[in-house]
Amino acid sequence: MMSLRQLADIAAQIAPMHVLLDSKGCIVRVGPTLQKLRADQDWTGRPFLEVFNLRRPRHIHDMDDLLRTSGIKLHMQFQDDPQTGLKGVLAPLPGEMGAFVNLSFGISVLDAVRDYDLTSADFSATDLTIEMLYLVEAKSAAMEASRQLNLRLQGAKIAAEEQAYTDTLTGLKNRRAMDHILERMISAGRNFSVMQVDLDFFKAVNDTMGHAAGDTVLQKVASIMVECTRSTDTVARVGGDEFVLIIDNLIDRSKLEEIAKRLIRKLEEPIPFADQLCRISASIGTVLSSSGGQKGAAQLLNEADVALYAAKRAGRACHFFYEPQMDSVDQSNGIKNGSDAGSLEGDASGSRGNGDAAIDTSPPTTH
Amino acid sequence: MHGLINRAIQAFVCSTYGESRWRDVTESADLGFSDFEAMLIYTPEQSQSLLTAMERVLDRPLPEMLEDMGTFLVANPQVEALRRLLRFGGVNYVEFLHSLDDLPDRSRLAVAELHLPGLELIETAPGRFKLLCQSGLPGYASVMMGVLRAMADDYGDLVILEHSGTKDGTEVISVTLVETEFAEGRTFDLGAKLT
């Protein structure tokens, strides 16, 4: 018959986290790894339940209770700090000699390895802990690589979206972006104003000085428009020389008038190109989102357009607010009817303006 | 070939020769891109033209470069993760050598699509081993030479490595352990990454 000491010697090798109990439930021997967790304590002779706090099953108070848990999974933790969680299973020894309890860390092994500075030698050769640690690290590394890929893809997606919403020549928003923002502001019920801006004499610049000059002018115009508006406003190029400004949270006519006048004044400052100066101006039609109740995007843009044409008719460099009677003037004159959305659908990709061909009487643009 | 392998080549070339040389290599390989993604799969043709371009542009024998790459993968602090994963293989160099048999399975556990050719360690005499590297990945044995050398340093052991020919497509590396604990190796803390 094997002695308790012999059993303990074998157990130290194959179950380095075991506890041998005597018939009274006191600790006789402890495996080397378990001892490493409390290197400064000698548990010999101390009751098992004094060292370990049995969480499940509950109501275990003495050795008889403990023996009845035979084969059941035990959940426990140290009574003192750090209260590392442990799993265990108990088997009674023959002849009422006591009990053999084998412990393991369970899921708390990750903390335990760090807290107690454990090494491979602390685990039995058949223990899968090292494999698990390997797997945790390998998976974390793989996840990190995947995360990096996702971040790059996300960045590429944002860049592609931005490109899809940007006018490449001027860096302003394009018609698609403007439609999107306008719809969003309408459905959010915000107060805002829409300014339809059409450049005057731009076609003349383009025709007499070439597309390169036209492109330079458009880029300068774009920067002036951005300067004359706030960062919360939207500036979009929606056609060759047509722009839409969405002025957020502003429906004060005098302030809008001020913005429009300043914009026209700035746009009239000659723009240098090569050794020459390009001179343009602008006509502006403005509509307020709140005037006359709920309006759709198409209606707002149309009304801004009607006001713009009224401004054009009044001579260039003018700014008009939309008034309902303008519709009838338009209808009767037949210059501009309400369903003419064609000029708004212009291609924003080039600088070949076509909007003002009928109105521009082409004054000298070079000096 | 798995992006991780291509990405490893990229990291090695960028770190050793610089990023502009790497771009020369990818241009010469006519890939149409210069950055490999670690978690995507590339065709064997792409990887082969990459290796061919490396030899041409960097003007060094490929086996030599691949061996350097194996060393780089273990010894460079940039890629500490791989060195740690290899150190899980054993508490000393001999145990590590024996763990190489499991390497393809281990890598597949971590990244399911990563298939490495089989490795088999044969102990011919005490302290003498032959590592059989099966075919399937061009330059596999060269990279393993570099890895074995760097891992010996990591454990602080002195070894002699020799490429001793190819048999039925399987390349053989001879490993002779001259001295264990020849120098102080790098420490390996199991829980270092568990935060």
Side-chain angles (χ1 to χ4, degrees), chain A residues 286-303:
Chain A
T286 300
V287 63
L288 312 182
S289 69
S290 62
S291 59
Q294 212 61 2
K295 286 177 187 170
Q299 192 188 350
L300 279 172
L301 289 173
N302 187 48
E303 289 178 0

Side-chain angles (χ1 to χ4, degrees), chain A residues 114 134 137 139 149 152, chain B residues 37 84 88 106 109-110 194:
Chain A
R114 192 189 50 227
Y134 162 82
E137 269 198 50
K139 283 290 176 196
L149 172 59
R152 277 193 292 277
Chain B
E37 281 296 346
R84 282 189 55 83
F88 273 103
R106 276 178 178 267
L109 266 183
L194 305 171

Side-chain angles (χ1 to χ4, degrees), chain A residues 133-321:
Chain A
L133 294 175
Y134 162 82
L135 210 52
V136 169
E137 269 198 50
K139 283 290 176 196
S140 305
M143 280 290 283
E144 177 58 21
S146 286
R147 202 182 63 86
Q148 292 293 340
L149 172 59
N150 283 338
L151 280 177
R152 277 193 292 277
L153 290 179
Q154 174 75 359
K157 179 170 165 266
I158 290 169
E161 276 174 0
E162 233 169 64
Q163 212 167 18
Y165 285 117
T166 304
D167 172 52
T168 44
L169 176 67
T170 60
L172 295 178
K173 303 234 168 6
N174 61 15
R175 160 162 284 277
R176 189 205 311 244
M178 187 271 290
D179 283 342
H180 188 71
I181 292 166
L182 198 54
E183 286 294 349
R184 214 175 46 205
M185 293 181 79
I186 290 169
S187 61
R190 294 187 71 86
N191 283 332
F192 61 92
S193 307
V194 177
M195 284 188 175
Q196 177 92 28
V197 185
D198 211 60
L199 300 185
D200 299 325
F201 314 125
F202 177 71
K203 189 177 184 307
V205 170
N206 228 7
D207 288 350
T208 60
M209 300 174 68
H211 295 324
D215 287 353
T216 303
V217 168
L218 287 172
Q219 283 164 347
K220 182 65 187 166
V221 164
S223 73
I224 290 170
M225 288 184 174
V226 171
E227 273 168 39
C228 289
T229 52
R230 302 158 303 172
S231 62
T232 48
D233 301 331
T234 300
V235 181
R237 178 168 173 237
V238 299
D241 57 356
E242 295 166 31
F243 299 82
V244 168
L245 276 52
I246 303 175
I247 312 295
D248 188 21
N249 203 20
L250 184 66
I251 48 171
D252 180 317
R253 280 175 181 253
S254 65
K255 282 189 180 145
L256 288 166
E257 175 75 16
E258 213 174 288
I259 292 172
K261 289 290 174 210
R262 188 167 70 236
L263 189 56
I264 292 171
R265 203 167 56 240
K266 288 265 188 192
L267 289 173
E268 285 182 341
E269 286 173 12
I271 298 165
F273 176 75
D275 296 335
Q276 300 175 314
L277 291 172
C278 309
R279 290 175 189 277
I280 57 159
S281 184
S283 301
I284 304 178
T286 300
V287 63
L288 312 182
S289 69
S290 62
S291 59
Q294 212 61 2
K295 286 177 187 170
Q299 192 188 350
L300 279 172
L301 289 173
N302 187 48
E303 289 178 0
D305 214 32
V306 168
L308 169 66
Y309 271 78
K312 285 255 179 194
R313 261 199 316 277
R316 290 168 211 92
C318 286
H319 169 236
F320 277 29
F321 284 100

Side-chain angles (χ1 to χ4, degrees), chain A residues 53-88:
Chain A
N53 172 16
L54 206 60
R55 314 266 306 165
R56 265 177 295 155
R58 294 178 188 282
H59 311 299
I60 304 290
H61 302 295
D62 53 30
M63 186 57 174
D64 288 340
D65 295 341
L66 269 175
L67 288 171
R68 272 194 294 275
T69 70
S70 168
I72 295 173
K73 191 197 278 186
L74 308 174
H75 295 261
M76 61 190 86
Q77 60 187 44
F78 282 110
Q79 295 280 12
D80 58 346
D81 287 328
Q83 294 179 316
T84 309
L86 297 164
K87 282 194 316 180

Side-chain angles (χ1 to χ4, degrees), chain B:
Chain B
M1 196 144 67
H2 199 281
L4 272 171
I5 298 173
N6 292 298
R7 184 78 191 175
I9 298 173
Q10 179 178 344
F12 165 68
V13 173
C14 285
S15 160
T16 313
Y17 299 93
E19 301 211 357
S20 81
R21 300 290 278 157
W22 167 251
R23 277 192 294 279
D24 294 344
V25 170
T26 52
E27 263 168 44
S28 171
D30 204 16
L31 294 170
F33 58 89
S34 60
D35 277 315
F36 282 96
E37 281 296 346
M39 284 293 138
L40 297 180
I41 312 282
Y42 297 88
T43 64
E45 292 75 32
Q46 283 174 312
S47 301
Q48 189 53 58
S49 47
L50 176 67
L51 293 178
T52 311
M54 257 171 80
E55 196 162 32
R56 189 171 51 234
V57 173
L58 303 175
D59 196 25
R60 256 185 87 195
L62 194 58
E64 227 178 87
M65 276 192 286
L66 291 178
E67 190 179 330
D68 279 359
M69 184 180 109
T71 305
F72 167 84
L73 290 177
V74 174
N76 194 294
Q78 256 186 346
V79 278
E80 170 76 3
L82 183 67
R83 174 217 162 225
R84 282 189 55 83
L85 293 178
L86 288 170
R87 281 289 293 250
F88 273 103
V91 290
N92 57 47
Y93 191 64
V94 173
E95 247 189 53
F96 159 75
L97 286 178
H98 282 289
S99 78
L100 289 174
D101 286 19
D102 300 332
L103 189 69
D105 287 335
R106 276 178 178 267
S107 56
R108 214 168 30 250
L109 266 183
V111 181
E113 307 84 13
L114 180 58
H115 298 284
L116 296 180
L119 293 169
E120 192 184 342
L121 188 81
I122 298 168
E123 188 162 9
T124 52
R128 285 173 175 275
F129 305 87
K130 283 194 188 307
L131 182 69
L132 312 185
C133 308
Q134 283 168 19
S135 61
L137 205 57
Y140 190 38
S142 300
V143 177
M144 282 311 297
M145 282 272 268
V147 168
L148 292 179
R149 201 183 300 287
M151 285 304 286
D153 286 347
D154 213 272
Y155 282 104
D157 287 6
L158 183 63
V159 297
I160 295 174
L161 300 170
E162 226 175 344
H163 197 290
S164 34
T166 306
K167 205 178 149 194
D168 305 329
T170 298
E171 294 182 73
V172 184
I173 300 173
S174 301
V175 184
T176 309
L177 197 57
V178 180
E179 204 175 334
T180 56
E181 290 170 40
F182 170 74
E184 191 162 335
R186 284 167 74 188
T187 54
F188 177 64
D189 173 6
L190 266 190
K193 283 290 168 84
L194 305 171
T195 45

